[in-house]
Amino acid sequence: MESLSAPAHRRVPLQGLLLAVSLLTFGSLPSTAQLTVASTNAAEGKDVLLLVLNLPESLFSYNWFRGKSANSSRRIGTFLTETQKFTRGPAHSGRERIYPNGSLLFQKVTLNDTEYYTIVVTKKDGLTEEATGQLRVYRE
Ligand SMILES: *[C@@H]1O[C@H](CO)[C@@H](O)[C@H](O)[C@H]1NC(C)=O
Ligand SMILES: *[C@@H]1O[C@H](CO)[C@@H](O)[C@H](O)[C@H]1NC(C)=O
Ligand SMILES: *[C@@H]1O[C@H](CO)[C@@H](O)[C@H](O)[C@H]1NC(C)=O
């Protein structure tokens, strides 16, 4: 008796499970959100972090640039995730540092630091993602 009725009892829960799985899959789409630099305002002389959100996985390096594009002559620096090594670029002012999570630290920001900043994230597969944010420094 039981072996006959069991399949009929299972059919509905299985369909419910499949529906739940497809809803979960659909619901997980926002986790592929775009790389973002959080724009920020800061008072002159303060230490400021430009935060990077929605980092991809399998990272190889970060490059930060002054301005809205990845212009190599305006590169602030490069951070290699494997070695955790930071190297300065031509636009480094002596006050910037890149953290392992990609965020860019400015020590003692000046009014001159008011600018757009662009990060290029290179993944281990060689593909890159880019995002731009703005830092606005005001006089207190
Ligand atoms: C890159 O930056 C340099 C220095 O600011 C500038 O002279 C040059 O025009 C820029 N190149 C591009 C493609 O924007
Ligand atoms: C990145 O690391 C810095 C320093 O540890 C931390 O202050 C900051 O909140 C981190 N950023 C994010 C987006 O988690
Ligand atoms: C701002 O930039 C200009 C030109 O690059 C420079 O002459 C000046 O000293 C800078 N001012 C500060 C406060 O860093």
Side-chain angles (χ1 to χ4, degrees):
M1 279 294 270
E2 262 192 19
S3 63
L4 280 175
S5 58
H9 278 283
R10 272 196 201 121
R11 199 165 290 148
V12 172
L14 180 61
Q15 281 173 348
L17 182 66
L18 289 176
L19 178 65
V21 167
S22 63
L23 283 174
L24 271 176
T25 309
F26 193 68
S28 70
L29 277 175
S31 73
T32 62
Q34 252 193 320
L35 182 74
T36 301
V37 174
S39 292
T40 190
N41 299 330
E44 192 178 11
K46 289 277 179 357
D47 293 351
V48 182
L49 262 181
L50 268 189
L51 296 176
V52 180
L53 310 174
N54 306 322
L55 276 177
E57 288 177 12
S58 296
L59 298 170
F60 176 72
S61 68
Y62 308 115
N63 279 282
W64 271 104
F65 301 86
R66 280 184 85 94
K68 285 183 178 174
S69 66
N71 179 340
S72 61
S73 63
R74 305 194 74 203
R75 187 171 54 88
I76 294 167
T78 301
F79 184 91
L80 296 180
T81 53
E82 200 167 297
T83 56
Q84 307 266 294
K85 194 169 156 50
F86 174 73
T87 49
R88 296 174 177 206
H92 195 274
S93 76
R95 295 174 294 109
E96 301 94 347
R97 187 177 145 190
I98 302 174
Y99 279 123
N101 63 15
S103 297
L104 179 65
L105 172 72
F106 293 86
Q107 290 171 305
K108 297 190 168 61
V109 284
T110 69
L111 295 176
N112 270 3
D113 292 327
T114 295
E115 176 53 297
Y116 288 94
Y117 293 88
T118 298
I119 186 173
V120 176
V121 175
T122 305
K123 299 188 282 183
K124 283 183 177 152
D125 60 11
L127 296 176
T128 60
E129 291 185 22
E130 197 174 311
T132 299
Q134 195 181 12
L135 171 63
R136 296 178 212 88
V137 183
Y138 54 88
R139 186 162 274 153
E140 252 187 338

